[in-house]
Amino acid sequence: MGNVFRRGWRNFNVENRAHKFIEKHSDKPLAPPKYPESQKMVQHVEEKGFPKAMQEHLQKNAQLLDRLKDVKVDSTDVEGKSLGIEIDKDIPSEAERSLPLSRSGDGSPDLFPDEVPAGRISVQKAMELLAKHKQDKEKWTAERLAQDCKLDLTDTENILDNFQAFKIIPQNPNDPNPKLPIYEKRQLSAD
């Protein structure tokens, strides 16, 4: 309840208070607050024998101000010619780059990629490994499969032990309480 009162009091007459503050400080801008360490350093420099340097630093130099007034800068968009750089017109800019050709917007992962880097395996290849190993475990050992697919031996053993084929569990869409199949209930209760 106190927050509501405080918020109302804080927001009361905000615009007029802001205008008053701006008018009060418009003639002389406020310097940002200085860190305590930097204030100590400035006081040390002022006290310990560098008063001339501080006075010269704080005075305006009329000669430098006149030079600054004479400086005029005109900028034009050059394409690297004045810098001695040749810009290759054949390289497209980021906005002009062509978009990728494959634009499957369904968001599903690509289960059958064209290229798979070494040390990795696609789902299709993992299914082939499982099928070969299941057909003849003595011929298709983990070591041989690791050599064929360029995988680590531990990764291949983990694939053979833990990877399972995809399971589709049909359920009645009208059932408000979907039930797990019996074999999964047994697995859950055993854990």
Side-chain angles (χ1 to χ4, degrees):
M1 190 66 173
N3 287 340
V4 173
F5 177 72
R6 246 185 268 137
R7 190 180 313 129
W9 184 254
R10 184 182 61 218
N11 293 338
F12 176 74
N13 205 13
V14 172
E15 191 173 347
N16 287 341
R17 286 188 286 145
H19 284 297
K20 230 186 235 186
F21 182 82
I22 291 170
E23 287 174 7
K24 181 179 178 183
H25 298 288
S26 64
D27 56 340
K28 183 179 178 187
L30 293 175
K34 296 179 181 174
Y35 290 102
E37 290 297 319
S38 61
Q39 284 181 341
K40 288 178 187 176
M41 289 174 63
V42 169
Q43 288 174 356
H44 175 73
V45 169
E46 287 176 349
E47 294 172 358
K48 295 292 180 180
F50 300 106
K52 281 187 177 180
M54 287 301 292
Q55 287 176 357
E56 289 176 9
H57 175 69
L58 295 175
Q59 288 178 352
K60 291 183 179 180
N61 191 339
Q63 184 180 8
L64 292 177
L65 287 173
D66 290 340
R67 288 183 187 170
L68 186 62
K69 289 177 185 175
D70 293 341
V71 172
K72 182 180 177 184
V73 177
D74 290 331
S75 64
T76 58
D77 188 19
V78 295
E79 296 185 8
K81 294 178 183 174
S82 64
L83 301 175
I85 303 170
E86 291 185 23
I87 296 177
D88 193 1
K89 298 283 184 180
D90 296 336
I91 299 174
S93 66
E94 282 188 37
E96 296 172 349
R97 283 190 194 149
S98 61
L99 294 174
L101 298 177
S102 173
R103 294 188 194 109
S104 61
D106 57 356
S108 63
D110 191 10
L111 297 179
F112 307 107
D114 296 332
E115 298 176 11
V116 179
R120 302 213 176 212
I121 192 169
S122 66
V123 175
Q124 186 178 16
K125 191 71 172 176
M127 298 299 284
E128 288 176 16
L129 288 179
L130 288 174
K132 287 178 182 178
H133 185 70
K134 203 172 228 184
Q135 284 178 353
D136 191 4
K137 291 186 180 184
E138 291 144 9
K139 181 181 177 187
W140 295 102
T141 60
E143 293 86 12
R144 183 172 176 192
L145 292 172
Q147 287 176 354
D148 289 347
C149 296
K150 299 177 185 171
L151 292 173
D152 291 335
L153 180 62
T154 55
D155 292 340
T156 309
E157 289 172 352
N158 287 335
I159 289 171
L160 295 175
D161 291 340
N162 302 318
F163 193 84
Q164 295 179 357
F166 298 112
K167 296 179 185 176
I168 298 175
I169 303 171
Q171 293 182 358
N172 186 1
N174 298 329
D175 190 10
N177 298 321
K179 297 178 177 81
L180 293 174
I182 297 170
Y183 62 89
E184 286 193 10
K185 285 184 184 176
R186 286 186 195 145
Q187 287 178 353
L188 292 174
S189 63
D191 293 339

